Amino acid sequence: MTGETGTAWRPQSRPAAEAARLPRQRDSSAVAQLRLLVAVGTDKHPFDRLVDWLAQWHARAAGPIGLTVQHGHTTAPQLPGAVPFLGHDALQQAMIDADLVVCHGGPATILEARRHGHLPIVVPRDPARGEHVDNHQLLFARRLGAAGLVALCETREALHDALAAGVADPSRYAVAADPEAHEAQRAAVARVGQIIDDLVARSTPRPPRWRAWPRPRPGTKETR
């Protein structure tokens, strides 16, 4: 069983869970090499759009960039630091080490990024492009973007602008890390799931409440 954060889920004992690496507060000082984590999760649908946008930006980016690109089922990009999946510990460490985090609109990934002190730059998967089975990532990411909880990027230009701003000043995409949020995250994920269910239900057209009665065939007597 895998989770949408890009890791394989394994049951942990209580002590092991409590010993998980704690998030660090983001430093607003300049960094010698900007460390960028990109995570598309484990959904079986490819997310070529995000990976292609990243590759286009990276080809023109100025200055040293340390990349970790978890590309999942997307074709492996010609980028340094590209890996299909990361184990749980490896992903946690990548979150800790990163100066910027770019991810898909998976609720668990977003919550994990914020727990580690990041304002994630989010490109939600679009089912119209074959990137997911429904539009829950779009609805959820737009809701969080309106609340200022993520940096929402739905176009290539928006993503490139966000990355340029992050390179210039990584502290723009930093929030207060919360070391006590490990257990609270599980409850938050449950609440997020309910929000998503409500959003998807509202966006799904309801079938009409009436139905047409079949007309009687010629030569038959209509009965009620």
Side-chain angles (χ1 to χ4, degrees):
M1 178 179 178
T2 56
E4 60 187 356
T5 60
T7 66
W9 181 87
R10 294 181 180 87
Q12 287 186 306
S13 64
R14 186 79 175 183
E18 292 175 352
R21 294 183 177 90
L22 295 178
R24 65 178 174 89
Q25 300 297 331
R26 299 290 130 198
D27 191 344
S28 60
S29 60
V31 294
Q33 181 186 57
L34 183 125
R35 294 157 298 186
L36 173 61
L37 169 65
V38 180
V40 308
T42 60
D43 188 88
K44 65 181 181 180
H45 298 83
F47 202 3
D48 298 287
R49 183 166 56 103
L50 172 54
V51 173
D52 288 347
W53 289 355
L54 174 69
Q56 293 165 19
W57 171 81
H58 186 261
R60 300 192 300 268
I65 307 292
L67 278 181
T68 300
V69 184
Q70 182 269 308
H71 58 83
H73 294 284
T74 302
T75 301
Q78 298 300 310
L79 288 169
V83 294
F85 302 101
L86 291 168
H88 181 267
D89 289 346
L91 181 62
Q92 297 301 303
Q93 191 62 53
M95 289 266 187
I96 292 170
D97 293 339
D99 299 296
L100 297 175
V101 172
V102 176
C103 65
H104 68 150
T109 310
I110 292 172
L111 289 171
E112 195 67 20
R114 287 189 58 87
R115 186 175 80 86
H116 284 288
H118 297 287
L119 177 74
I121 299 169
V122 175
V123 181
R125 291 173 178 267
D126 184 353
R129 301 172 185 265
E131 297 166 351
H132 216 309
V133 295
D134 59 36
N135 64 346
H136 80 267
Q137 286 202 6
L138 283 169
L139 296 171
F140 182 64
R142 287 169 181 171
R143 180 164 179 164
L144 293 190
L149 298 176
V150 303
L152 176 63
C153 298
E154 294 193 56
T155 66
R156 177 181 58 187
E157 291 72 20
L159 176 62
H160 289 184
D161 288 348
L163 288 169
V167 170
D169 181 8
S171 67
R172 294 184 58 168
Y173 297 98
V175 297
D178 185 3
E180 305 300 325
H182 187 73
E183 291 300 323
Q185 184 193 22
R186 298 187 182 187
V189 169
R191 291 196 299 272
V192 166
Q194 185 58 55
I195 291 172
I196 290 173
D197 288 344
D198 292 344
L199 290 171
V200 172
R202 293 173 190 170
S203 68
T204 303
R206 295 182 178 180
R209 295 184 177 180
W210 58 270
R211 64 186 180 89
W213 288 93
R215 294 184 177 182
R217 295 179 180 178
T220 62
K221 184 178 181 180
E222 181 178 0
T223 59
R224 294 287 186 182

